[in-house]
């Protein structure tokens, strides 16, 4: 239904990587399909291993399970549709489908920021107060911290998605991205979006900076505690307990900052698509690899599970 220059949009077209040759898109499809499967299997394996092995029932692995579950959800929201657009047989997405995809991408993205901050606090308690760690990070505290990490995504995603999709859309319905992200969808709005843009910028800065400051505060105290350890072996052991998390945090925040905090003059749609791949596809795949390859406890747990399975199969 049209009114003046306004049109009721019932579906959007995701341009994805349509500017690239068909051969390149086919290669990208195979690459992202492999990454997608590795991501699902890797994160599922982390969840199963940390549940199955009693040695991994500590708070650290409780939060790691939450992170793996979050990464699976984030991938399920974005990657299957992206794979469809690369084959050019599923480039359309309904109005409701686009709003739903945006809602859950906000939800999982915001929650990952706060969950990484919670994991940093867990490492701070483990290194700075090792004797009180089991008491401080008991099951009740873990549950409260997990809820506190998952909750912020609900109001942020609800307000931002509802507000954006309440605007009228006009002209083209082509979204120049591989998923319904806020900036490319906002360009299709034919109304004054100044207030929304101010809210989005301030909200994004707060959502990114508050957890980031909590992480920096935790690691500043961790670094101070490690420096006080007299032996080099003790320092190495303390640092190794948080090195995997520190690497995951660095990858996530660097990719997120390069995507959303670059000057607009240096931020073409094509470059933003490539940068978006780093935190939507790359980081979720790397997280289980980092935590399994750099963590002896996880590697040992995998070894025990496979050994147990082999023994059972022999009988």
């Amino acid at each position: 239904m049209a009114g003046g220059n306004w049109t009721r949009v019932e579906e959007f077209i995701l341009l994805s990587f349509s500017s690239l040759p068909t051969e390149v898109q086919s290669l990208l499809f195979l690459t992202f399909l492999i990454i997608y499967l590795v991501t699902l299997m890797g994160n599922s394996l982390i969840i199963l291993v940390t549940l199955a092995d009693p040695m991994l029932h500590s708070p650290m692995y409780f939060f790691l399970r939450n992170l793996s579950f979050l990464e699976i959800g984030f991938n399920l929201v974005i990657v299957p549709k992206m794979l469809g657009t690369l084959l050019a047989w599923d480039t359309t997405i309904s109005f409701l489908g686009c709003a739903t995809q945006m809602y859950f991408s906000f939800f999982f993205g915001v929650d990952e920021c706060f969950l990484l901050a919670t994991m940093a606090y867990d490492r701070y308690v483990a290194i700075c107060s090792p004797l009180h760690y089991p008491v401080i990070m008991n099951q009740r505290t873990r549950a409260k911290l997990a809820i506190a990490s998952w909750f912020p995504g609900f109001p942020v995603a609800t307000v931002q998605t509802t507000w954006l999709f309440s605007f009228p859309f006009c002209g083209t319905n082509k979204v120049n991205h591989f998923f319904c992200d806020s900036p490319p969808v906002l360009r299709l709005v034919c109304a004054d979006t100044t207030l929304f843009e101010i809210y989005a910028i301030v909200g994004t800065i707060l959502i990114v900076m508050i957890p980031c400051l909590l992480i920096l505060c935790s690691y500043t105290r961790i670094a101070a505690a490690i420096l006080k350890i007299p032996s080099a072996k003790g320092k190495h052991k303390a640092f190794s307990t948080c090195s995997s998390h520190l690497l995951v945090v660095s990858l996530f925040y660097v990719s997120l900052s390069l995507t959303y905090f670059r000057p607009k003059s240096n931020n073409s749609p094509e470059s933003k698509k490539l940068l978006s791949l780093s935190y939507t596809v790359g980081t979720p795949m790397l997280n289980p690899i980092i935590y399994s390859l750099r963590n002896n406890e996880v590697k040992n747990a995998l070894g025990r599970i496979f050994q147990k399975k082999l023994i059972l199969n022999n009988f």
Side-chain angles (χ1 to χ4, degrees):
M1 186 178 292
N5 292 327
W6 293 2
T7 306
R8 181 179 176 182
V9 174
E10 295 184 354
E11 66 178 20
F12 295 96
I13 298 172
L14 296 172
L15 295 182
S16 191
F17 298 96
S18 57
S19 60
L20 299 175
T22 305
E23 296 79 10
V24 177
Q25 290 190 57
S26 299
L27 181 61
L28 286 176
F29 172 82
L30 290 173
T31 303
F32 293 147
L33 178 61
I34 293 169
I35 292 174
Y36 176 61
L37 295 175
V38 169
T39 300
L40 293 183
M41 289 188 292
N43 283 288
S44 298
L45 187 62
I46 289 288
I47 293 171
L48 293 173
V49 169
T50 55
L51 283 172
D53 195 297
M55 299 293 289
L56 301 183
H57 287 179
S58 65
M60 174 182 171
Y61 296 105
F62 169 77
F63 294 121
L64 180 57
R65 280 197 298 274
N66 278 263
L67 181 63
S68 292
F69 182 79
L70 188 151
E71 299 291 23
I72 290 172
F74 198 50
N75 251 238
L76 289 174
V77 168
I78 294 174
V79 179
K81 189 64 186 179
M82 181 181 68
L83 293 174
T85 62
L86 286 170
L87 289 180
W89 51 260
D90 192 20
T91 58
T92 62
I93 185 170
S94 67
F95 186 89
L96 180 60
C98 188
T100 302
Q101 189 183 54
M102 184 181 292
Y103 178 91
F104 282 105
S105 65
F106 279 136
F107 172 75
F108 288 119
V110 170
D111 287 346
E112 182 157 1
C113 289
F114 284 92
L115 185 57
L116 289 173
T118 299
M119 294 173 76
Y121 173 72
D122 170 71
R123 292 299 82 211
Y124 157 71
V125 177
I127 293 172
C128 298
S129 303
L131 297 177
H132 299 98
Y133 179 62
V135 178
I136 296 172
M137 299 300 291
N138 56 52
Q139 288 189 348
R140 189 174 180 180
T141 303
R142 284 183 241 170
K144 286 180 179 179
L145 287 171
I147 292 169
S149 300
W150 283 93
F151 176 75
F154 286 108
V156 172
T158 300
V159 171
Q160 192 141 331
T161 305
T162 304
W163 192 354
L164 178 52
F165 281 87
S166 67
F167 286 121
F169 293 88
C170 58
T172 181
N173 64 340
K174 295 179 179 179
V175 178
N176 194 6
H177 213 325
F178 56 83
F179 74 103
C180 286
D181 198 10
S182 178
V185 174
L186 188 63
R187 294 190 190 101
L188 308 182
V189 172
C190 49
D192 185 7
T193 60
T194 304
L195 189 60
F196 174 83
E197 290 183 58
I198 293 171
Y199 160 80
I201 292 169
V202 173
T204 302
I205 292 172
L206 289 175
I207 289 163
V208 172
M209 290 306 297
I210 291 173
C212 188
L213 288 173
L214 291 172
I215 291 168
L216 286 173
C217 183
S218 295
Y219 274 105
T220 300
R221 290 173 173 265
I222 288 171
I226 291 175
L227 290 173
K228 291 178 182 178
I229 298 173
S231 67
K233 186 178 179 181
K235 289 179 180 178
H236 180 266
K237 185 179 179 181
F239 179 74
S240 65
T241 62
C242 57
S243 60
S244 296
H245 176 258
L246 192 57
L247 183 56
V248 167
V249 167
S250 301
L251 287 171
F252 178 76
Y253 273 98
V254 168
S255 60
L256 201 65
S257 300
L258 288 174
T259 303
Y260 291 104
F261 294 107
R262 293 176 73 206
K264 287 188 176 181
S265 58
N266 299 329
N267 204 8
S268 68
E270 297 306 315
S271 65
K272 186 169 182 180
K273 289 177 194 177
L274 293 173
L275 290 169
S276 297
L277 287 171
S278 60
Y279 77 90
T280 56
V281 178
T283 304
M285 179 194 70
L286 291 173
N287 286 353
I289 295 173
I290 291 169
Y291 273 103
S292 58
L293 294 181
R294 293 181 60 86
N295 192 306
N296 289 327
E297 290 181 341
V298 174
K299 286 190 286 188
N300 292 336
L302 284 169
R304 286 193 296 269
I305 290 171
F306 286 128
Q307 188 177 18
K308 187 177 179 180
K309 189 174 180 181
L310 285 172
I311 292 170
L312 290 173
N313 287 339
N314 289 332
F315 287 100

